[in-house]
Amino acid sequence: KNEVEQSPQNLTAQEGEFITINCSYSVGISALHWLQQHPGGGIVSLFMLSSGKKKHGRLIATINIQEKHSSLHITASHPRDSAVYICAVWSNYQLIWGAGTKLIIKP
Amino acid sequence: DGGITQSPKYLFRKEGQNVTLSCEQNLNHDAMYWYRQDPGQGLRLIYYSQIVNDFQKGDIAEGYSVSREKKESFPLTVTSAQKNPTAFYLCASSIARIQGHGNQPQHFGDGTRLSIL
């Protein structure tokens, strides 16, 4: 079993829909990262969380340390949000990466 | 603007050939990393460096080598010993990679896609 599991693996939605991507982990962590990988391959860091909730524009990230679970939400989704969203956790002095969720937003 | 530059974007390797992937950063970051990405899998750490002239093996270092002669540069050589080198390679950096600093974001380059001829 992978230490970081993301769901769903693939998600297709219509423009405007509210999107939720989930990340569950089985190890103790000091921080959790959400990143976005564009079709060309470049990766951008979106959020770094150790507790609670963070918001940036239409993106919201939450984490529940007790349940070892984090969610990334996108409000009013747009085709330009189409990308792979990756969760990674910092545990035992290393980053452990999820396999990513491929999101496609159709106009 | 500060950032990480990887080159080339696409690279082809012949049998028995070593190839070197370039990674340069102007963020003044101490720590640099090389990751390999295969379809459907999470990133896997190849090598990392916390400081100039020092580097450590990651989870999949066999068949790869690195150097860190300058703070700005962390080239990765894919040697002929790496039997399955076809993958997407990403370089990243962060301010530091020391105890208790896992809450720092990593900055990534745009990647190099390596294929076998």
Side-chain angles (χ1 to χ4, degrees):
Chain A
K1 188 181 186 299
N2 293 334
E3 292 166 310
V4 179
E5 297 272 5
Q6 288 187 236
S7 63
Q9 283 186 304
N10 296 282
L11 178 57
T12 299
Q14 291 297 129
E15 183 173 358
E17 287 188 34
F18 182 81
I19 303 298
T20 296
I21 298 171
N22 297 298
C23 176
S24 296
Y25 52 92
S26 57
V27 294
I29 71 169
S30 57
L32 181 143
H33 299 252
W34 280 103
L35 307 101
Q36 180 190 54
Q37 185 169 29
H38 291 284
I43 292 179
V44 175
S45 181
L46 298 174
F47 293 104
M48 192 169 53
L49 295 164
S50 54
S51 64
K53 177 180 175 178
K54 286 191 176 180
K55 184 176 189 291
H56 185 255
R58 295 180 294 106
L59 272 60
I60 303 166
T62 64
I63 188 168
N64 185 318
I65 296 293
Q66 287 73 29
E67 294 186 2
K68 295 190 173 180
H69 181 268
S70 175
S71 293
L72 176 69
H73 305 285
I74 305 174
T75 62
S77 59
H78 190 275
R80 65 174 174 265
D81 297 325
S82 299
V84 175
Y85 292 84
I86 303 172
C87 169
V89 301
W90 184 262
S91 176
N92 197 27
Y93 314 121
Q94 63 176 333
L95 269 177
I96 305 172
W97 297 80
T101 293
K102 185 174 182 179
L103 174 65
I104 298 173
I105 303 295
K106 293 186 175 180
Chain B
D1 280 341
I4 297 181
T5 302
Q6 287 188 244
S7 62
K9 194 170 178 67
Y10 299 95
L11 187 58
F12 298 91
R13 196 190 89 169
K14 295 180 181 177
E15 286 288 330
Q17 185 182 46
N18 293 353
V19 292
T20 297
L21 285 60
S22 170
C23 177
E24 303 278 331
Q25 55 101 356
N26 60 3
L27 298 164
N28 200 32
H29 285 172
D30 286 318
M32 296 187 75
Y33 313 79
W34 273 106
Y35 293 97
R36 171 178 171 142
Q37 187 178 37
D38 293 282
Q41 296 187 33
L43 274 66
R44 290 184 290 169
L45 183 64
I46 305 172
Y47 268 97
Y48 65 93
S49 168
Q50 299 183 53
I51 199 168
V52 173
N53 292 323
D54 182 68
F55 48 83
Q56 307 294 329
K57 292 182 179 180
D59 300 321
I60 55 165
E62 186 175 346
Y64 300 97
S65 66
V66 293
S67 62
R68 186 90 186 274
E69 297 176 2
K70 298 186 299 182
K71 187 175 185 177
E72 302 79 21
S73 179
F74 191 41
L76 173 74
T77 296
V78 184
T79 74
S80 56
Q82 173 48 247
K83 297 306 178 189
N84 184 24
T86 298
F88 188 60
Y89 292 87
L90 284 155
C91 178
S93 72
S94 63
I95 293 173
R97 189 191 186 281
I98 58 177
Q99 201 163 338
H101 281 67
N103 58 345
Q104 295 173 11
Q106 292 193 357
H107 298 255
F108 284 83
D110 288 336
T112 293
R113 195 165 299 279
L114 176 62
S115 303
I116 297 298
L117 282 178

